[in-house]
Amino acid sequence: MLHELLLSLLGYTGDLVVDEKDHRLSVAPSPGDSISDQCTFKLASDISFIESSERDIIEKTITLGFYYRELDRFATKSRNLSWIRFGDDSPVKNQSVYRRAIANGIVEVLSVYRSAVLHMEQKLLADPLPILATVTQSLNKFFVLLPPLYELIREIERDGISGGKVLNLLHKRCHCGVPELQTCIQRLLWHGHQVMYNQLASWMVYGILHDQYGEFFISEQEGNSERDSSYLTNMAERLARVSVNDGSLSDWHLGFHLSLDMLPAYIPMHIAESILFAGKAIRVLRNPSSAFRSVDARHKKLMGDELLPQSEADKIETMLINLKESSEFHKRSFEGAVDSIRAIAASHLWQLVVVRADLNGHLKAIKDYFLLAKGDFFQTFLEESRQLMRLPPRQSTAEADLMVPFRLAVTKTISDDDKYFSRVTLRMPAIGANLKSSKVDVSKSKHADGDLTSDTSLEMSPDGWDGIALEYSVDWPLQLFFTQEVLSRYCRIFQYLLRLKRTQMELEKSWESVMQQDHSKFSKRHIERVNGSASQQRRQCFRPMWRVREHMAFLIRNLQFYIQVDVIESQWNVLQTHIEESRDFAELVEFHQEYLSALISQSFLDIGSVSRILDGIMKLCLQFCWKMENQETEATTNELERLTEDFNKKSNSLYTILRSSRLAGSQRAPFLRRFLLRLNFNSYFEQTAQGVMNVIRPTPALPPLQR
C-alpha cells in the first residue's frame, strides 16, 4: 500500500488511489489535455481496512500527487518543441516563450518535490515499522507550494495568458506572507525575466525585435505604409510629404509602438518609452542609408569610425547582463540601466543629426524661407508677382506662372553661396480644392462673427493665391527630425505669414499707385489749364478713406512686427539656447516641438475666433486696396464705405478678444501685452471697441463720405 501511495504522489493512480476523471472518460489523460478544475485523486471506495482518520490523512496527502501531475503536464506541454522537428506551423499560435520559461521554473520545483519523495521512500524502506506520519512530515512543506502553483497554471491556461501578462501575474503573486512560496514565485519570475532580458538585449544592443509570438511590450506595426489613404488628402501634409526610401526612417516613424497589454505593471510608462526610443535609435545608427554611408566614407577621418562604436554596444550589453544575472528584479537598478542606455543612444543620435547632418544650418534655412526671415527675397517676389496675383490663378499653369517672378526674386536676392536654397521648392496646390476649403472657412466666419460680409467678400475670397506653399527637401537622417507633421506645420505658418506680408505690401503699394495717378492727373490739368474743382472735390471726398488705409496699415504693421520680432525671434533664441546646451536627440525633438507650438499659439493660429477675424481683416484690406485704385464709379464709393464699416467691426472685435484676461493674462502669449500697447498707445482702440459686442449696431469710427 505504501508503494502505491508513493506512486500516487508522483501522479500515477492504481487500485488504492484512483482518478475519478479516468473513470468518467475511460481514457488516461494526455499532456495535451486541459488542466482539471479540481482535484480528482481519491481513495478507492471499496477499501475497508483503512480507518477513517487515516483515510482523511491519505486523501489530503494524495492531492499533492494530483497537483504534481497537473504541473508536470503543463510543463511538458509548454516545453514541447516537436512541432519544429516536423515543420508543423499550426501550433505556433499556442506557443509562448514566457510560458516555456515558467515551465522551466516549475520543472525545478518538481525536481525538488521528486527528490523529497525519493528521500521519503528511502526512510520508509529503512524503517522496520513504517508509519503514515513519516509521509506527512516529509511532504508537509509542499502543501504550501504546490496548490498555489496549480492555481497559477490553471489561471494561465484558462485565460490564455502569455508574454508580459505572465510577468505581471507572477509579480502580483509574489506579494504574499509565506516566505517559501514567495521564494518559489520569485524563482519563476526570474525565469520569465531571462526571456525579457534576452529580448531587451536584442532590441537595445542590435536594434532587432526578436518576438516570434508577439509577447514583448514593443511590437512591430503592420500595414503602416498604406494604413490610411485619406491621410494624404490634406494639402499641407501632401506638400510636406518626403520620399522615404530607407527602411530605418519608416521604422522610426511608424514601424514600432508600445503594446500596453504586454507591458508589466511594475515597469513605468516612461521607462517603456525609453526602451522603445533606445531600440529605434540603435536601429537607425546600425542601419544608415546607402547615400549617407557613401558620403560619410569620404569624411571618415573627420567623422569617426562608426555611428555606434563597438565599445558603446559592449557597454550596453554589459549593463543588461548584470541585470540578467541578478537573482531578483530591482526596479531602481532596472530603471537606472535603461536610463543610461537611453542616454547613450540619444547622445549618438544627437551627434549624427546635429553635428554630421548640420541640423542648425537647416533650421536656419527653414527660418529664412518658411518664417520669412529673408524679407528681401519675399518682398521682391511679391512685388514681381503683384500684377499676376491681381488675376485669378489658372488651374493648369498657376505654378508655372509663379515660377517666373520666383526666379526673378532668386536672381536678385539669393547668393550662390546659399547651399540650402536648392532644397526649397515653390508649390501651388490644386485650385479647386483650395477654393472649396476657403469657402467653408468664410461661411464659418460669417456664422461666428455675424453677417459682417456680404457676397462681395466671396467675390475676392481668397483670390486663389492663398494656397502658395513651400517644400523643403531633407535627406537622411534629418527626416528623423523634420517629420511630415513638422514640415506641414511650418507650411501652415508660412502661408499665414506670406498672406500677412502680401497684405502689408498691397497697403503700401496702393498708396503709392494712387498718389502717382493723382500727381499725373494734377500735372495734366496744370498743363492743359483745366479747372480742377471737380477733381479737388473728389480728392476731398476720398481723404477719410486714406485715413482708413492708414488704420489698416497700422494694424497689419504692428501684427507683423509682433509675430516676426516678439514671437519668432524670441522663440528662435530660446531654441538656439536649448540646442547649445542639450546633447540628447529626444530633448531636441521636444524643444523643437515646443518651439513650433509656441509659434502657432502665440500667432493665434490655434484660436479659431481670432484666426477667422485676422483672415477676414486681411481679405478686407486687399479688397479695400483694389477698390481704392478704382475710384471712378459711385458703386466703388459705396463699396468702400461697407469695407470701412466691416474693418472697424473686425478690428474692434480683435482688440476686444486679445485684451481679454484669458489671453492677455496667460503664459501662452507672453508678449501679447506689448502688441496691445502698440495698438492702443493713444487709447483709440479702447474707445472705439466700446459696445462692439452689443446687439445694437455701433456707429462707424470714421465719418461717412460727404458728396
Side-chain angles (χ1 to χ4, degrees), residues 226-279:
E226 297 182 3
R227 187 184 325 123
D228 188 3
S229 59
S230 63
Y231 178 78
L232 297 178
T233 57
N234 182 278
M235 180 53 60
E237 296 201 359
R238 182 158 70 247
L239 291 172
R241 183 172 179 82
V242 293
S243 60
V244 178
N245 298 320
D246 192 89
S248 62
L249 294 175
S250 59
D251 288 347
W252 178 267
H253 296 305
L254 301 171
F256 302 94
H257 68 281
L258 289 176
S259 181
L260 298 181
D261 56 337
M262 290 297 176
L263 178 64
Y266 51 89
I267 297 180
M269 179 60 69
H270 72 277
I271 295 297
E273 291 174 346
S274 296
I275 294 172
L276 175 63
F277 171 82

Side-chain angles (χ1 to χ4, degrees), residues 320-462:
L320 292 175
I321 290 175
N322 292 336
L323 290 175
K324 186 178 179 181
E325 293 177 347
S326 177
S327 59
E328 294 183 14
F329 180 84
H330 297 284
K331 184 177 179 181
R332 181 173 296 180
S333 301
F334 180 78
E335 292 181 1
V338 170
D339 287 338
S340 299
I341 295 172
R342 182 199 173 283
I344 293 173
S347 175
H348 285 281
L349 197 58
W350 176 90
Q351 181 76 16
L352 170 66
V353 174
V354 177
V355 179
R356 298 194 184 192
D358 188 22
L359 173 66
N360 214 24
H362 289 276
L363 281 172
K364 179 66 168 59
I366 287 180
K367 176 174 176 281
D368 286 343
Y369 299 110
F370 281 81
L371 304 183
L372 274 59
K374 277 192 177 294
D376 56 339
F377 168 72
F378 288 101
Q379 181 72 21
T380 306
F381 168 67
L382 290 174
E383 289 177 354
E384 296 290 344
S385 60
R386 183 168 179 250
Q387 296 303 321
L388 173 65
M389 291 186 183
R390 288 292 183 93
L391 303 174
R394 291 180 290 184
Q395 187 166 359
S396 58
T397 63
E399 187 171 312
D401 294 339
L402 274 178
M403 290 307 296
V404 176
F406 187 77
R407 291 195 181 99
L408 283 173
V410 171
T411 304
K412 293 181 178 180
T413 59
I414 304 298
S415 67
D416 296 336
D417 298 334
D418 192 337
K419 61 181 180 179
Y420 302 102
F421 182 75
S422 59
R423 299 177 177 272
V424 179
T425 307
L426 185 70
R427 287 286 181 257
M428 187 68 190
I431 307 301
N434 190 56
L435 285 175
K436 182 178 179 181
S437 63
S438 65
K439 290 183 179 180
V440 173
D441 292 340
V442 171
S443 64
K444 288 182 180 178
S445 177
K446 289 178 68 174
H447 285 92
D449 304 325
D451 194 6
L452 300 182
T453 57
S454 64
D455 293 338
T456 315
S457 63
L458 287 175
E459 177 187 332
M460 313 291 288
S461 119

